[in-house]
Amino acid sequence: MSREVYSLCFMCSVRCPIKVTTENGQARWIEGNPHVPGIEGSLCPRGAAGIALLNDSERLQTPLLRTGPRGAGGWRKATWDEALDFVADRLKAIIQEHGAHSVLFGERTNLSTHVSKTFMRALQSPNHFTHDALCKGSVNTACRSLFGYTDAQLGMDLKNSKHIILYGRNIFEAIEVKAVNALWEAMEKGAKLTYIDPRVSVTATKADRYWMIRPGTDLALNYALIHVILKERLYDTAFVDRWVHGLAHLENFVSPYTPEWAEVETGIPAEEIVTLAREAGRDKPAVLFHMGYRGASYTNEIYVRRSILILNALMGGIEAQGGVFFKKGPGEVGRKPARKLTEQDLPKPTMPRFDKVGTAELPLPDANHGVAQMLPFAILDEAPYPFKAFIANRFDPLMSIPDTNLTKQALEKLDLIVSIDINFSNIAWFSDVVLPESIYLERTDCVQQADGLKPQMFLRSQAVAPRYDTQPAAVILKRLAERMGIGGYFPFETMEDLVKWQLEGTGFTLEDFAAKGFVSYATEQIFWNRKDGIKFKTPSGKIEFVSSLLESAGFASFPAYEPVLRPEAGHFRLIVGRCALHTHVSTQNNPYLSEIVPENVLWINSNQAAQLGISHGMMVEVRSPSGAGSIRAFVTDHIHPETVFMLHGFGHEAQMATRCFNKGLSDSVLAANVSDNIGGSPALHETFVTVRALENLR
């Protein structure tokens, strides 16, 4: 019998609304939810490949206990009771001897993150963290420094913009379906697209203007744009006079940063910089300088992102159609959001966090996410105290944290490593216990509170029965919590129970989601009044160009620009990115997606390749101070000569993931673990490598 189920995709972190058509317990078709404006049936390749994930025989199928050395591939099957008893007994012994703070929990942010945070709080450990800092921690801090809001509380009205400027936001490959559709709609109405990147990505080929900027010099470009905008009075004077704090300081600061100066640093002609500034001034406020989806590239990342947001503010593009807006929650219409388990009266940890967020060492990053790349340093240095156990939930530190070899050394020191996952990730392969999670098609999940111009709630509903002996992560943690003596904080037996608990007080029920997959709190878009009604959360109540957040922590609001050094002879700056077919490190073994993109390649400039004797398709060795590996060369004119590029997420070590095992090269093996210590993100593009020709294996 055929039926249709409205749900949410989880083939990437975006969670696009979907419609799943099932027949006799099998998912036959997945498409975008046709009832959701901006989605209207569309879906990316990863979303379509959910069917292949469901039926994948190489998925994790049962709890596993390690039988040999870590990473050697020795396993035995276990029942759920045996596996959970084992983990609980080990955790209780560790906590008894070393304290709950010796336990770490890292995860890829998901709809049940509030459950895992509750688990750690109930244990009285402060050491919960997510992947967010690895992606956008510095974007988060930059937003808070200007507006008092996090990046997750900001949205962009792409479809009504007249000009969109993207800094390496490869939006047509690192796909967010609703955003891509909105951008296409804007471009069809005449909007202009400017794309800035050291590499000619697919997005570059769709742009009206493409600049092959010298890597690492985005801040120089933005200082020059701000210089022109202020000098020629191209900004929205009424908006800036009303809502900006610190304009005079900024104007004085950027006076020496002329377009001519920036041309030398960036390689972009001065007259083109002036032209872009004037075009933005003409089209304001419907201009979007995109703040980025991933902002983890350089050690000055927070200032790069602040400069982008400052450009938006100068254009008056805040709470304006075609600009940036603040997401509105149900409180705007007198309603209540879905509850979270973290709202209970939970014990408060007394020890500092593993990453030292909130201390003098890292005062500004968001403790709600933490700073994941500090994990290996904390374990190896036993600072601020020794660590003994790590639980990873759909998060792979061996492929996501820079410097894999360093991370391996750290993990070897731990007494217990537990993975909750759907595939044999590298961390699962390196773990002591593997607990298999039901995939998104096989489970109902926690409510998604979707704040925006029209606040809504979405629900991931179970479409089919689990194929194997798997469970939802929230249920796994509840069952573990019961064994740890903290089960009272988890008032549910099933995911449906948890959703019903969340919905209490919202005015909605579980059944309300059946018709379209979502419910709405409002029918009209909510924009705040731009004259007097914008609710900034900064101490001044304004957009703080001179930032109280930064200044109170001892950091400058406008740091002097430090020139970006060119690579030494024979060296290249390594940059990484995404493609439309894969998500981070999680889809490379998918039967459909691995067939289309089975490995990554190293983009290298044609002239540089010729000097090194490297031809297209040749195997090359890439080496950095952190590690080395081999990869196939992709020789092209379409990349800046100072840099090389590879897709993130390849070079898997888990042998049971046969389609992606040992295919390509992991950038995390090469990358140095250095950070923007103000904003919180790793500086993923601050590693320099050498490239050497190997035997031609074409």
Side-chain angles (χ1 to χ4, degrees), residues 43 55 149 152 188 199 253 290 296 322 334 345-346 425 438 510 524-525 549 574 686:
L43 199 61
N55 298 313
Y149 291 92
E188 287 174 352
R199 182 179 73 101
F253 171 77
H290 199 295
D345 185 14
L346 292 161
S425 59
S438 304
L510 183 61
E524 301 295 328
Q525 291 185 342
L549 183 73
L574 175 66
E686 295 283 15

Side-chain angles (χ1 to χ4, degrees), residues 236 469 564:
D236 186 330
D469 189 14
V564 175

Side-chain angles (χ1 to χ4, degrees), residues 17-32:
I18 56 174
K19 183 176 76 171
V20 185
T21 301
T22 70
E23 184 176 346
N24 299 324
Q26 170 64 44
R28 297 298 183 189
W29 182 252
I30 305 174
E31 62 183 280

Side-chain angles (χ1 to χ4, degrees), residues 199-211:
R199 182 179 73 101
V200 181
S201 66
V202 168
T203 305
T205 68
K206 310 300 181 188
D208 300 280
R209 172 192 289 115
Y210 166 66
W211 286 341

Side-chain angles (χ1 to χ4, degrees), residues 51-63 77 80 422-423 436-439 442 464-472 659:
I51 290 177
L53 173 64
L54 174 66
N55 298 313
D56 187 0
S57 62
E58 294 191 2
R59 278 173 52 197
L60 292 170
Q61 300 178 17
T62 185
K77 294 180 180 180
W80 275 102
I422 61 172
N423 291 313
E437 184 182 26
S438 304
I439 72 165
E442 300 170 330
V464 296
R467 290 288 183 270
Y468 306 114
D469 189 14
T470 60
Q471 296 188 21
R659 303 178 201 96

Side-chain angles (χ1 to χ4, degrees), residues 32 74 155 173 252 691:
E173 291 189 86
N252 181 63
V691 183

Side-chain angles (χ1 to χ4, degrees), residues 560-578:
Y561 184 82
E562 296 183 10
V564 175
L565 298 178
R566 299 180 186 276
E568 298 176 10
H571 289 70
F572 303 88
R573 185 184 293 272
L574 175 66
I575 62 175
V576 298
R578 311 282 189 257

Side-chain angles (χ1 to χ4, degrees), residues 1 6 42-43 98 111 117 170 181 207-208 215 220 234 251 302 407 419 442 456 478 488 522 549 566 639 685:
M1 185 174 73
Y6 294 104
S42 55
L43 199 61
H98 303 283
L111 295 176
K117 286 185 174 182
N170 186 10
N181 287 343
D208 300 280
L234 301 172
E251 192 165 15
I302 184 174
T407 305
S419 285
E442 300 170 330
Q456 299 171 316
K478 175 202 165 50
L549 183 73
R566 299 180 186 276
I639 189 167
H685 295 172

